[in-house]
Amino acid sequence: MSSTLPPAPAMPAPAQQFASDNYAGVCPEAWQAMAEANPGSAPAYGDDIWTERAADAFRALFETDCEVFFAFNGTAANSLALASLCQSYHSVICSALAHVETDECGAPEFFSNGSKLLTAATEDGKLTPEAIHALTANRRDIHFPKPRVVTITQPTETGQLYSRDEILAISAVCRDLGLSLHMDGARFANACAALGASPADLTWRAGVDVLCFGGTKNGMAVGEAILFFNRAQAEDFDYRCKQAGQLASKMRFLSAPWVRMLESGAWLRNAAHANACARHFAGRAASLPRVELVFPVCANAVFLRLPAAVTDALRARGWRFYTFIGDAARFMFGWDADLRNVDALADDIAAAAAASSQP
Ligand SMILES: *Cc1c(COP(=O)(O)O)cnc(C)c1O
């Protein structure tokens, strides 16, 4: 009983950071959904009403009768989805900057029992039909792992978007070459908000077979959904999740937040807010001397090329950020980004840039 618990020690709220959108807490809708799902008992392992409602909410949002699964995180969602699309002797085509290549510790290869990732060097992280053609034309002999899947990230790790026409062009190549198309949508909501397009138009209606839809960076505590638009490809996927340790026993706490996120529209509001904060920040940063925007700001990521003195000064002020793509400083904006804090960061960059240009 909560009244008998000792009071929690008061902890100061840490200052808001923009190192990643997964630095954010849980949004009110997701938090409330957990509370709503909490009372009483419910069948375990996904046989509960919340999980059914969440799957139905996805089918309504995507306007199609897709198969829906829930995993704890994006690495598992991507890896297991890719593994279900190919055999161990197949290969998966991706951008060299793709999360599956650079940030999943070999999980796609591990869960597929060795399917090789074939990477295309790209300027901005976007795959193109030409790059897919080049990688498949390169080798067609028995000694090379046979291409079977293409994976694209929407928006990309650099914050770039694939337009519906670009996805259609990629899926046409996939169809010609007998490849399945997977989409890493860790920030899929940000893409929908930025493009003003429907989830259906950006996925199955454009030829995407499987989508991993990120909940964590959208405002949930934990959880990603895997949507199979081609139901045959979902065969035995539940076993794959279980074997990989991704079947939540108290599944209602993974699924209930989705119900409220999707039904209330929070998924899209959160993403639109994050995108707007990125645009605001980019607008301020772009006007500063010695500060350069590295990629067009399309969703919720801003990459800045900064003099070393400026990155040092920002870190000394306590700001956290990654520099893992081409040395650029990456700033990501989440559902909870507060414009006053966004401006505080921009003010600090302006001050550091001015100081660094003093003779
Ligand atoms: C965050 C992210 C994921 C998921 O990462 P996890 O830490 O495993 O949840 C997947 N793809 C991209 C592009 C991401 O940014």
Side-chain angles (χ1 to χ4, degrees):
M1 233 128 340
S2 58
S3 59
T4 63
L5 290 174
M11 297 271 281
Q16 187 163 49
Q17 292 283 350
F18 303 106
S20 183
D21 31 5
N22 58 16
Y23 272 48
V26 180
C27 72
E29 291 84 357
W31 191 263
Q32 194 182 340
M34 303 266 273
E36 271 171 13
N38 194 40
S41 58
Y45 299 114
D47 288 331
D48 61 282
I49 51 158
W50 297 103
T51 304
E52 192 182 330
R53 267 182 71 187
D56 285 342
F58 273 111
R59 289 188 270 264
L61 182 65
F62 282 79
E63 307 168 63
T64 187
D65 190 22
C66 52
E67 289 268 18
V68 183
F69 301 87
F70 301 97
F72 290 105
N73 60 34
T75 298
N78 283 334
S79 304
L80 297 174
L82 291 172
S84 72
L85 298 176
C86 58
Q87 300 288 336
S88 57
Y89 48 84
H90 286 140
S91 51
V92 175
I93 292 173
C94 65
S95 148
L97 296 180
H99 196 271
V100 290
E101 161 71 5
T102 63
D103 290 285
E104 300 190 356
C105 197
E109 294 92 331
F110 177 77
F111 284 111
S112 61
N113 288 310
S115 305
K116 186 180 172 68
L117 297 184
L118 302 181
T119 60
T122 59
E123 286 280 296
D124 59 359
K126 276 171 77 171
L127 264 186
T128 58
E130 295 71 36
I132 296 166
H133 266 300
L135 278 172
T136 51
N138 190 24
R139 290 276 299 270
R140 293 173 190 270
D141 57 270
I142 191 84
H143 303 285
F144 195 70
K146 188 178 178 185
R148 177 45 59 87
V149 188
V150 168
T151 174
I152 57 177
T153 309
Q154 172 79 317
T156 66
E157 292 72 9
T158 57
Q160 306 305 292
L161 294 163
Y162 290 92
S163 69
R164 177 173 149 75
D165 284 348
E166 286 172 324
I167 301 168
L168 277 165
I170 287 174
S171 69
V173 173
C174 290
R175 229 178 6 262
D176 286 350
L177 299 173
L179 311 171
S180 296
L181 182 56
H182 165 265
M183 180 178 277
D184 174 351
R187 302 185 177 91
F188 183 70
N190 300 88
C192 293
L195 289 165
S198 78
D201 281 348
L202 293 180
T203 56
W204 63 273
R205 282 199 199 116
V208 173
D209 296 301
V210 183
L211 169 71
C212 294
F213 190 139
T216 312
K217 288 168 184 156
N218 193 219
M220 287 169 44
V222 59
E224 317 280 301
I226 303 118
L227 279 58
F228 286 85
F229 302 112
N230 176 349
R231 295 182 73 109
Q233 290 177 325
E235 191 185 346
D236 291 346
F237 193 73
D238 45 352
Y239 287 89
R240 203 180 277 285
C241 288
K242 172 66 192 184
Q243 185 182 51
Q246 289 289 321
L247 178 61
S249 97
K250 290 191 182 176
M251 182 69 94
R252 61 176 144 155
F253 297 106
L254 276 197
S255 56
W258 281 116
V259 174
R260 202 167 255 282
M261 291 292 286
L262 300 185
E263 289 182 359
S264 70
W267 71 281
L268 197 57
R269 273 196 306 278
N270 285 354
H273 172 78
N275 292 352
C277 289
R279 271 197 311 277
H280 173 83
F281 176 70
R284 288 212 45 196
S287 67
L288 298 173
R290 311 188 67 206
V291 174
E292 195 191 325
L293 276 178
V294 180
F295 300 109
V297 175
C298 306
N300 65 330
V302 179
F303 288 81
L304 299 180
R305 180 131 30 241
L306 301 170
V310 174
T311 55
D312 290 348
L314 290 176
R315 291 208 161 104
R317 293 273 292 164
W319 291 107
R320 301 181 72 120
F321 50 89
Y322 293 102
T323 51
F324 51 31
I325 295 181
D327 277 350
R330 187 193 76 163
F331 298 97
M332 299 290 318
F333 300 87
W335 70 270
D336 66 339
D338 182 326
L339 276 180
R340 287 167 301 185
N341 298 323
V342 178
D343 278 327
L345 171 61
D347 290 344
D348 281 356
I349 295 176
S356 79
S357 59
Q358 299 297 313

